[in-house]
C-alpha cells in the first residue's frame, strides 16, 4: 500500500487532536495550518518532539494564516491543493475561519475531509457526497502523552525507580492490603511510629531494625502481624527491644510511607488484567515543561507528583489517592495537572480509603468535585477488588 504523501491538519490547542492523523496514516508530510495566537512555538516543539520519538522520517510544516482575512486563507488552501492534488484535510480542532474557508473551496471543487474523535477512535471521512465511517485503535503511552503536552515523565517515577511488579510483589500487595483494611485509620498512625523510631534509633545492625517496645506502644501489634504474614523475617523480642528485618526493600518502603499502600492497591487492581488499560504508572513524577534546568538543584524545576495514571487508548486518567483526609487543595492540584497534561480528554478521580461523612463540609467538598468533573471513589476499605475495578473502569 502506497504511503500517503501529505495531509493538512488544522492546528488545535488540544495536543492529541494534532497527532491523530499522524498515528493513523503516517503520511510523508503533515501540513499544519493555524493562527498566530494558537500555533505557539512551545506547542510546535512538543509536536516535533513527539514526531521525532514515533515517526522520525515524517516531515512537518507549519503555516500561519491570518485570523480575519478569509480571502488570504482561501488562497493558501487553494495553493496547497494545487501542489498536492487529492490532498486530505483533517478538521478536528480547526478554527471557525479555517473551516469556513475550506467550505468555500468545497463548494467549487471536491475536497476530501476527515474528522477523528479521540474519545472513540471513530473517523468520519467525507469525499464529495460520500460519507465513510471507520474505527481505529489508537494508543499512546503515558510518557508520550506527557511529552505531547510539554512535560516529561522523570526517572524518579515509581514505576521506573521504586516498584518492580513481579508476581510475588503483587501477591505481597494483596496480603498487605488485607492487613491494612483491618487496621484502617490506625494503619497510618502505626506506620508513622515505626518509621520515625527506625530513623531515630542509632547503632542498628546492617539490614536490621532494633526498636524499644515501650516506645512503639500499640504499633507493636502491627509488627507482630507483619511477621505473621511473612513481611518481616528474623523477628525477635528480647526484653525491652524488638529486632527484625523487612522481607525486602519494597516492603520497607510501604511501611516508611503509609500512603503507599492505597496507591499500590489501586494500581495492582487496575493492572491485574492487562487488557483493561493500555498503560499505567504509579508515583508519576512530571517535570512541568519537559526540561531539566539544573541537574544539581532539581528544586528549581516545577514538578508534580500524581499517585496513579491509567491510559485508555489516548485518554489519560489521573488518580489521587488519600488514605487520610482530603481537602480542597487535593481537588485543585488534580484539576491543574489533568488540564495541563490531558486537556479536555483527561479524566480524573480522587480515591479515598475511608467513607465520606454527611457533614455540610463534606457535601460541599463532593459538590465541588462534581463541578470540576472529578470522580470521588470513597470507602475503598470496604470494597472488594471487583467493586473497585468496576468503578475505575467507569471513570
Amino acid at each position: 500500500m502506497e504511503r500517503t504523501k501529505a495531509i493538512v491538519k488544522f492546528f488545535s490547542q488540544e495536543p492529541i487532536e494534532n497527532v491523530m492523523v499522524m498515528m493513523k496514516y503516517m503520511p510523508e508530510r503533515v501540513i499544519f495550518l493555524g493562527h498566530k495566537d494558537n500555533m505557539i512555538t512551545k506547542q510546535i516543539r512538543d509536536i516535533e518532539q513527539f514526531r521525532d520519538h514515533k515517526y522520525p522520517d515524517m516531515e512537518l510544516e507549519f503555516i500561519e494564516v491570518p485570523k480575519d482575512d478569509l480571502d488570504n486563507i482561501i488562497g493558501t488552501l487553494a495553493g496547497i491543493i494545487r501542489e498536492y492534488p487529492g490532498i486530505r484535510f483533517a478538521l478536528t480542532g480547526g478554527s471557525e475561519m479555517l473551516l469556513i474557508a475550506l467550505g468555500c473551496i468545497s463548494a467549487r471543487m471536491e475536497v476530501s475531509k476527515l474528522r477523528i474523535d479521540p474519545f472513540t477512535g471513530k473517523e468520519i471521512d467525507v469525499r464529495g457526497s460520500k460519507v465513510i465511517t471507520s474505527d481505529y485503535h489508537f494508543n499512546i503511552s503515558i510518557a508520550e502523552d506527557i511529552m505531547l503536552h510539554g512535560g516529561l515523565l522523570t526517572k524518579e517515577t515509581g514505576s521506573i525507580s521504586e516498584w518492580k511488579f513481579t508476581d510475588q510483589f503483587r501477591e505481597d500487595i494483596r496480603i498487605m492490603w488485607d492487613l491494612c483494611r483491618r487496621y484502617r485509620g490506625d494503619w497510618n498512625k502505626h506506620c508513622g511510629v515505626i518509621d520515625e523510631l527506625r530513623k531515630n534509633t542509632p547503632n542498628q545492625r546492617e539490614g536490621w531494625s532494633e526498636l524499644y517496645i515501650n516506645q512503639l506502644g500499640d504499633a507493636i501489634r502491627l509488627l507482630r502481624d507483619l511477621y505473621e504474614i511473612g513481611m518481616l523475617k528474623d523477628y525477635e523480642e528480647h526484653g525491652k527491644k524488638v529486632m527484625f528485618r523487612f522481607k525486602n526493600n519494597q516492603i520497607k518502603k510501604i511501611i516508611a510511607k503509609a500512603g503507599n499502600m492505597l496507591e499500590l492497591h489501586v494500581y495492582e487492581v487496575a493492572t491485574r488484567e492487562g487488557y483493561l488499560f493500555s498503560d499505567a504508572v504509579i508515583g508519576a513524577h512530571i517535570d512541568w515543561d519537559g526540561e531539566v534546568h539544573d541537574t544539581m538543584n532539581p528544586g528549581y524545576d516545577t514538578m508534580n507528583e500524581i499517585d496513579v495514571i491509567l491510559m485508555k487508548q489516548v485518554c489519560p486518567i489521573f488518580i489521587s489517592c488519600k488514605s487520610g483526609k482530603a481537602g480542597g487543595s487535593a481537588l485543585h492540584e488534580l484539576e491543574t495537572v489533568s488540564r495541563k497534561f490531558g486537556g479536555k480528554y483527561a479524566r480524573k478521580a480522587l480515591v479515598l480509603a475511608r467513607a465520606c461523612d454527611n457533614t455540610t463540609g463534606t457535601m460541599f467538598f463532593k459538590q465541588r468535585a462534581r463541578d470540576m468533573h472529578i470522580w470521588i471513589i470513597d470507602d475503598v476499605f470496604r470494597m472488594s477488588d471487583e467493586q473497585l475495578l468496576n468503578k475505575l473502569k467507569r471513570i
Side-chain angles (χ1 to χ4, degrees):
M1 184 177 177
E2 186 178 356
R3 185 178 179 186
T4 302
K5 292 288 184 186
I7 290 179
V8 174
K9 173 69 187 76
F10 290 172
F11 197 87
S12 172
Q13 290 183 301
E14 290 291 339
I16 192 62
E17 292 179 351
N18 288 321
V19 300
M20 300 297 282
V21 291
M22 293 168 59
M23 291 191 287
K24 181 170 183 179
Y25 292 102
M26 293 180 281
E28 294 179 10
R29 173 184 290 259
V30 179
I31 302 168
F32 288 92
L33 289 181
H35 308 300
K36 185 176 183 178
D37 63 346
N38 76 333
M39 201 160 64
I40 59 177
T41 302
K42 178 66 170 75
Q43 280 187 290
I44 290 173
R45 285 206 305 265
D46 296 338
I47 294 171
E48 289 175 335
Q49 187 177 9
F50 182 85
R51 181 275 315 269
D52 293 342
H53 174 72
K54 288 185 77 75
Y55 315 106
D57 64 338
M58 186 183 295
E59 295 182 21
L60 304 181
E61 182 179 357
F62 296 86
I63 300 175
E64 187 179 302
V65 293
K67 199 171 187 177
D68 54 359
D69 188 340
L70 184 59
D71 289 338
N72 184 300
I73 299 174
I74 290 174
T76 300
L77 295 177
I80 293 172
I81 291 170
R82 283 193 298 270
E83 185 174 353
Y84 300 95
I87 194 167
R88 306 171 73 192
F89 289 81
L91 311 183
T92 311
S95 71
E96 288 184 3
M97 191 63 79
L98 282 166
L99 295 172
I100 291 169
L102 186 61
C104 293
I105 289 180
S106 298
R108 303 199 303 261
M109 66 178 73
E110 185 175 306
V111 177
S112 177
K113 303 172 283 292
L114 65 93
R115 183 184 292 274
I116 300 173
D117 181 356
F119 278 124
T120 64
K122 185 178 289 295
E123 177 183 331
I124 300 174
D125 195 346
V126 181
R127 304 187 185 193
S129 61
K130 198 173 183 181
V131 179
I132 303 169
T133 61
S134 61
D135 294 305
Y136 187 78
H137 190 71
F138 291 91
N139 265 334
I140 62 173
S141 68
I142 291 168
E144 290 166 346
D145 171 75
I146 300 299
M147 175 198 303
L148 188 56
H149 288 81
L152 174 70
L153 197 63
T154 75
K155 293 180 180 178
E156 285 73 36
T157 293
S159 301
I160 301 170
S161 62
E162 287 187 297
W163 310 114
K164 307 303 176 189
F165 285 88
T166 61
D167 290 342
Q168 181 59 61
F169 185 49
R170 285 180 176 273
E171 180 63 23
D172 289 344
I173 292 170
R174 291 191 283 271
I175 293 171
M176 289 194 70
W177 173 251
D178 286 340
L179 181 62
C180 177
R181 292 172 68 183
R182 282 166 44 198
Y183 277 88
R184 299 188 180 243
D186 287 338
W187 173 267
N188 286 9
K189 181 175 68 175
H190 292 341
C191 286
V193 169
I194 293 167
D195 186 56
E196 189 67 23
L197 290 175
R198 284 188 60 253
K199 290 176 180 176
N200 295 318
T201 303
N203 303 321
Q204 299 193 20
R205 285 183 285 168
E206 181 83 28
W208 284 77
S209 294
E210 300 181 21
L211 309 179
Y212 285 98
I213 294 174
N214 66 330
Q215 292 178 331
L216 281 164
D218 288 342
I220 189 67
R221 292 192 300 112
L222 178 56
L223 286 178
R224 289 166 180 162
D225 286 338
L226 287 169
Y227 175 62
E228 286 296 320
I229 63 174
M231 301 303 142
L232 301 181
K233 55 185 181 180
D234 301 321
Y235 181 89
E236 301 172 10
E237 292 185 25
H238 287 301
K240 297 180 180 181
K241 280 188 176 183
V242 58
M243 293 163 282
F244 60 89
R245 290 189 296 162
F246 288 101
K247 178 180 180 179
N248 53 49
N249 283 332
Q250 297 199 114
I251 303 302
K252 184 192 295 185
K253 286 173 183 173
I254 294 174
I255 301 302
K257 183 183 175 186
N260 280 336
M261 194 65 255
L262 179 60
E263 297 169 24
L264 288 164
H265 174 60
V266 170
Y267 179 91
E268 198 280 321
V269 168
T271 59
R272 198 177 297 169
E273 303 293 338
Y275 62 87
L276 293 175
F277 299 98
S278 50
D279 195 15
V281 297
I282 183 172
H285 283 250
I286 304 173
D287 185 282
W288 194 261
D289 65 0
E291 298 178 14
V292 179
H293 299 103
D294 188 344
T295 55
M296 302 301 294
N297 297 285
Y300 287 115
D301 287 295
T302 302
M303 304 287 291
N304 279 97
E305 183 177 359
I306 293 294
D307 296 329
V308 177
I309 306 177
L310 305 175
M311 203 76 182
K312 282 186 177 179
Q313 283 71 58
V314 298
C315 300
I317 303 169
F318 296 88
I319 300 175
S320 177
C321 300
K322 300 294 181 185
S323 54
K325 290 185 177 181
S329 60
L331 297 178
H332 288 287
E333 181 180 350
L334 192 55
E335 166 64 19
T336 300
V337 174
S338 64
R339 185 172 64 246
K340 163 67 175 173
F341 296 109
K344 72 179 183 183
Y345 296 103
R347 301 162 192 180
K348 56 257 187 191
L350 181 62
V351 176
L352 306 175
R354 290 187 271 184
C356 292
D357 57 36
N358 293 317
T359 62
T360 302
T362 299
M363 292 299 103
F364 177 81
F365 176 81
K366 294 176 81 170
Q367 182 58 52
R368 183 74 181 120
R370 281 193 289 270
D371 293 343
M372 300 168 76
H373 305 289
I374 295 174
W375 286 67
I376 299 289
I377 302 175
D378 69 324
D379 206 11
V380 177
F381 275 144
R382 295 182 185 274
M383 284 184 195
S384 67
D385 292 358
E386 183 180 5
Q387 288 172 322
L388 174 59
L389 183 59
N390 286 336
K391 288 184 177 291
L392 293 174
K393 288 192 290 187
R394 289 174 56 202
I395 298 173

